[in-house]
Each structure stands twice: as structure tokens, then as C-alpha cells.
Amino acid sequence: MARDRTPTTSARAEGVVVTPMLRVPPEARTIDVGGGIRIALLALIPLHPEEIAVKVEHGTDALIEVLDRGRITELLDPRRPSYA
């Protein structure tokens, strides 16, 4: 029987933040395509409504503190709790 992988309502993401990739070494965060052109690889981290509220009410630095406290990275965990 297949496991239900549907996120619970408490783990609902309603937005994202774009960040540098955290789980790879710095040299893996860009691609040199030649001709002096480098492409930066970025991550999308899903945010809970409470985390979005922190960003809106207190700014980006406060949101980063919340994500750091929760050790949130680009590794997707649809069941992760909000750390706001």
C-alpha cells in the first residue's frame, strides 16, 4: 500500500524565497558557459504564511534569522514546520 505523502495543512507553503544554494560547495554554485558569462544557480525555499509575515513585518534579515534557526536549506521537506 502506498504511503500518503500529502503535506498536512500545518505544513502548507504559500510563497518562496530565492537564495544561494547552501548544500553545495561555492564552486558548484555557478556555471561558466564561456565568453565571460557565468550563471548563478539559486534555490527556491518554500515559506509558510508565518514566515512570509516575518519578512513583511520585520524585513529580510529577520526572515534569514528564522530560516537559520530552523536550519532550513534548499533540501525540500514538504512536512517541515514553520520556524516563525
Side-chain angles (χ1 to χ4, degrees), residues 7-84:
T8 62
T9 55
S10 63
R12 186 181 74 225
E14 293 192 359
V16 296
V17 62
V18 179
T19 68
M21 295 172 62
L22 302 171
R23 296 180 55 90
V24 298
E27 62 272 10
R29 295 177 187 165
T30 60
I31 299 172
D32 186 348
V33 295
I37 299 172
R38 296 179 60 89
I39 299 173
L41 301 177
L42 300 171
L44 297 176
I45 298 177
L47 297 175
H48 291 274
E50 302 86 0
E51 294 162 344
I52 294 170
V54 167
K55 162 55 171 97
V56 170
E57 295 170 16
H58 304 287
T60 301
D61 289 341
L63 174 61
I64 291 170
E65 287 178 22
V66 166
L67 298 177
D68 285 347
R69 181 173 56 241
R71 296 184 178 175
I72 305 303
T73 69
E74 67 272 16
L75 183 61
L76 180 62
D77 178 0
R79 295 186 184 272
R80 82 161 176 86
S82 170
Y83 288 94

